PDB file of all heavy atoms in Angstrom:
ATOM      1  N   SER N  39       7.223  28.534  -7.769  1.00 35.00           N
ATOM      2  CA  SER N  39       6.526  29.625  -7.112  1.00 35.00           C
ATOM      3  C   SER N  39       6.300  30.661  -8.320  1.00 35.00           C
ATOM      4  O   SER N  39       6.816  30.523  -9.451  1.00 35.00           O
ATOM      5  CB  SER N  39       7.381  30.302  -6.147  1.00 35.00           C
ATOM      6  OG  SER N  39       8.623  30.771  -6.707  1.00 35.00           O
ATOM      7  N   GLU N  40       5.503  31.703  -8.045  1.00 33.00           N
ATOM      8  CA  GLU N  40       5.274  32.756  -8.975  1.00 33.00           C
ATOM      9  C   GLU N  40       6.695  33.411  -9.379  1.00 33.00           C
ATOM     10  O   GLU N  40       6.835  33.747 -10.531  1.00 33.00           O
ATOM     11  CB  GLU N  40       4.250  33.708  -8.526  1.00 33.00           C
ATOM     12  CG  GLU N  40       2.845  33.213  -8.387  1.00 33.00           C
ATOM     13  CD  GLU N  40       1.925  34.297  -7.971  1.00 33.00           C
ATOM     14  OE1 GLU N  40       2.348  35.479  -7.846  1.00 33.00           O
ATOM     15  OE2 GLU N  40       0.707  33.961  -7.713  1.00 33.00           O
ATOM     16  N   LYS N  41       7.520  33.468  -8.400  1.00 35.00           N
ATOM     17  CA  LYS N  41       8.835  34.139  -8.586  1.00 35.00           C
ATOM     18  C   LYS N  41       9.567  33.280  -9.567  1.00 35.00           C
ATOM     19  O   LYS N  41      10.245  33.876 -10.575  1.00 35.00           O
ATOM     20  CB  LYS N  41       9.550  34.249  -7.269  1.00 35.00           C
ATOM     21  CG  LYS N  41      10.923  34.836  -7.448  1.00 35.00           C
ATOM     22  CD  LYS N  41      11.616  34.890  -6.113  1.00 35.00           C
ATOM     23  CE  LYS N  41      13.075  35.459  -6.260  1.00 35.00           C
ATOM     24  NZ  LYS N  41      13.812  35.450  -5.032  1.00 35.00           N
ATOM     25  N   ASP N  42       9.495  31.965  -9.514  1.00 31.00           N
ATOM     26  CA  ASP N  42      10.216  31.095 -10.409  1.00 31.00           C
ATOM     27  C   ASP N  42       9.721  31.356 -11.873  1.00 31.00           C
ATOM     28  O   ASP N  42      10.418  31.472 -12.773  1.00 31.00           O
ATOM     29  CB  ASP N  42       9.997  29.607 -10.107  1.00 31.00           C
ATOM     30  CG  ASP N  42      10.778  29.201  -8.812  1.00 31.00           C
ATOM     31  OD1 ASP N  42      11.843  29.894  -8.521  1.00 31.00           O
ATOM     32  OD2 ASP N  42      10.410  28.368  -8.121  1.00 31.00           O
ATOM     33  N   GLY N  43       8.343  31.254 -11.915  1.00 29.00           N
ATOM     34  CA  GLY N  43       7.767  31.527 -13.304  1.00 29.00           C
ATOM     35  C   GLY N  43       8.026  32.838 -13.894  1.00 29.00           C
ATOM     36  O   GLY N  43       8.161  32.952 -15.096  1.00 29.00           O
ATOM     37  N   ALA N  44       8.183  33.808 -13.089  1.00 28.00           N
ATOM     38  CA  ALA N  44       8.425  35.100 -13.575  1.00 28.00           C
ATOM     39  C   ALA N  44       9.812  35.386 -14.018  1.00 28.00           C
ATOM     40  O   ALA N  44       9.991  36.076 -14.948  1.00 28.00           O
ATOM     41  CB  ALA N  44       8.106  36.150 -12.396  1.00 28.00           C
ATOM     42  N   THR N  45      10.732  34.590 -13.358  1.00 29.00           N
ATOM     43  CA  THR N  45      12.163  34.898 -13.726  1.00 29.00           C
ATOM     44  C   THR N  45      12.724  33.910 -14.718  1.00 29.00           C
ATOM     45  O   THR N  45      13.781  34.098 -15.366  1.00 29.00           O
ATOM     46  CB  THR N  45      13.019  34.841 -12.477  1.00 29.00           C
ATOM     47  OG1 THR N  45      12.860  33.543 -11.880  1.00 29.00           O
ATOM     48  CG2 THR N  45      12.574  35.937 -11.518  1.00 29.00           C
ATOM     49  N   ASP N  46      12.078  32.705 -14.940  1.00 30.00           N
ATOM     50  CA  ASP N  46      12.559  31.677 -15.805  1.00 30.00           C
ATOM     51  C   ASP N  46      11.819  31.638 -17.086  1.00 30.00           C
ATOM     52  O   ASP N  46      10.675  31.072 -17.018  1.00 30.00           O
ATOM     53  CB  ASP N  46      12.700  30.367 -15.068  1.00 30.00           C
ATOM     54  CG  ASP N  46      13.287  29.283 -15.949  1.00 30.00           C
ATOM     55  OD1 ASP N  46      14.065  29.613 -16.934  1.00 30.00           O
ATOM     56  OD2 ASP N  46      13.043  28.111 -15.579  1.00 30.00           O
ATOM     57  N   PRO N  47      12.349  32.032 -18.178  1.00 29.00           N
ATOM     58  CA  PRO N  47      11.566  31.987 -19.438  1.00 29.00           C
ATOM     59  C   PRO N  47      11.268  30.551 -19.928  1.00 29.00           C
ATOM     60  O   PRO N  47      10.296  30.323 -20.579  1.00 29.00           O
ATOM     61  CB  PRO N  47      12.548  32.626 -20.427  1.00 29.00           C
ATOM     62  CG  PRO N  47      13.896  32.583 -19.859  1.00 29.00           C
ATOM     63  CD  PRO N  47      13.638  32.659 -18.363  1.00 29.00           C
ATOM     64  N   VAL N  48      12.038  29.618 -19.446  1.00 29.00           N
ATOM     65  CA  VAL N  48      11.863  28.216 -19.805  1.00 29.00           C
ATOM     66  C   VAL N  48      10.510  27.732 -19.298  1.00 29.00           C
ATOM     67  O   VAL N  48       9.767  27.046 -19.924  1.00 29.00           O
ATOM     68  CB  VAL N  48      12.988  27.287 -19.301  1.00 29.00           C
ATOM     69  CG1 VAL N  48      12.708  25.793 -19.549  1.00 29.00           C
ATOM     70  CG2 VAL N  48      14.201  27.708 -19.980  1.00 29.00           C
ATOM     71  N   LEU N  49      10.165  28.169 -18.045  1.00 27.00           N
ATOM     72  CA  LEU N  49       8.909  27.757 -17.367  1.00 27.00           C
ATOM     73  C   LEU N  49       7.723  28.357 -18.084  1.00 27.00           C
ATOM     74  O   LEU N  49       6.625  27.698 -18.127  1.00 27.00           O
ATOM     75  CB  LEU N  49       8.958  28.191 -15.930  1.00 27.00           C
ATOM     76  CG  LEU N  49      10.036  27.506 -15.095  1.00 27.00           C
ATOM     77  CD1 LEU N  49       9.817  27.950 -13.543  1.00 27.00           C
ATOM     78  CD2 LEU N  49       9.881  25.971 -15.163  1.00 27.00           C
ATOM     79  N   LYS N  50       7.967  29.501 -18.622  1.00 30.00           N
ATOM     80  CA  LYS N  50       6.778  30.119 -19.271  1.00 30.00           C
ATOM     81  C   LYS N  50       6.492  29.474 -20.577  1.00 30.00           C
ATOM     82  O   LYS N  50       5.332  29.425 -21.020  1.00 30.00           O
ATOM     83  CB  LYS N  50       7.161  31.661 -19.472  1.00 30.00           C
ATOM     84  CG  LYS N  50       7.192  32.488 -18.289  1.00 30.00           C
ATOM     85  CD  LYS N  50       7.545  33.944 -18.647  1.00 30.00           C
ATOM     86  CE  LYS N  50       7.663  34.846 -17.380  1.00 30.00           C
ATOM     87  NZ  LYS N  50       7.945  36.228 -17.760  1.00 30.00           N
ATOM     88  N   LYS N  51       7.511  29.047 -21.222  1.00 33.00           N
ATOM     89  CA  LYS N  51       7.372  28.472 -22.571  1.00 33.00           C
ATOM     90  C   LYS N  51       6.889  27.004 -22.604  1.00 33.00           C
ATOM     91  O   LYS N  51       6.121  26.653 -23.497  1.00 33.00           O
ATOM     92  CB  LYS N  51       8.752  28.597 -23.340  1.00 33.00           C
ATOM     93  CG  LYS N  51       8.743  28.182 -24.758  1.00 33.00           C
ATOM     94  CD  LYS N  51      10.058  28.316 -25.443  1.00 33.00           C
ATOM     95  CE  LYS N  51      10.082  27.800 -26.884  1.00 33.00           C
ATOM     96  NZ  LYS N  51      11.402  28.015 -27.452  1.00 33.00           N
ATOM     97  N   HIS N  52       7.316  26.169 -21.672  1.00 32.00           N
ATOM     98  CA  HIS N  52       7.062  24.793 -21.718  1.00 32.00           C
ATOM     99  C   HIS N  52       6.020  24.416 -20.666  1.00 32.00           C
ATOM    100  O   HIS N  52       6.273  24.589 -19.422  1.00 32.00           O
ATOM    101  CB  HIS N  52       8.366  23.985 -21.516  1.00 32.00           C
ATOM    102  CG  HIS N  52       9.293  24.229 -22.606  1.00 32.00           C
ATOM    103  ND1 HIS N  52       9.231  23.701 -23.875  1.00 32.00           N
ATOM    104  CD2 HIS N  52      10.441  25.004 -22.573  1.00 32.00           C
ATOM    105  CE1 HIS N  52      10.242  24.133 -24.644  1.00 32.00           C
ATOM    106  NE2 HIS N  52      11.025  24.910 -23.836  1.00 32.00           N
ATOM    107  N   LYS N  53       4.964  23.743 -21.066  1.00 36.00           N
ATOM    108  CA  LYS N  53       3.833  23.436 -20.090  1.00 36.00           C
ATOM    109  C   LYS N  53       3.522  21.985 -20.106  1.00 36.00           C
ATOM    110  O   LYS N  53       2.567  21.524 -19.526  1.00 36.00           O
ATOM    111  CB  LYS N  53       2.574  24.235 -20.418  1.00 36.00           C
ATOM    112  CG  LYS N  53       2.798  25.723 -20.220  1.00 36.00           C
ATOM    113  CD  LYS N  53       3.225  26.180 -18.902  1.00 36.00           C
ATOM    114  CE  LYS N  53       3.284  27.719 -18.793  1.00 36.00           C
ATOM    115  NZ  LYS N  53       3.765  28.126 -17.463  1.00 36.00           N
ATOM    116  N   ASP N  54       4.391  21.187 -20.747  1.00 41.00           N
ATOM    117  CA  ASP N  54       4.116  19.804 -20.996  1.00 41.00           C
ATOM    118  C   ASP N  54       4.407  19.033 -19.651  1.00 41.00           C
ATOM    119  O   ASP N  54       5.166  19.464 -18.838  1.00 41.00           O
ATOM    120  CB  ASP N  54       4.935  19.163 -22.159  1.00 41.00           C
ATOM    121  CG  ASP N  54       6.387  19.394 -21.886  1.00 41.00           C
ATOM    122  OD1 ASP N  54       6.692  20.303 -21.229  1.00 41.00           O
ATOM    123  OD2 ASP N  54       7.243  18.637 -22.607  1.00 41.00           O
TER     124      ASP N  54
END
Side-chain angles (χ1 to χ4, degrees):
S39 65
E40 291 183 7
K41 179 180 178 182
D42 289 332
T45 57
D46 184 19
V48 175
L49 296 185
K50 292 180 178 179
K51 184 176 179 180
H52 299 285
K53 300 298 182 182
D54 53 340

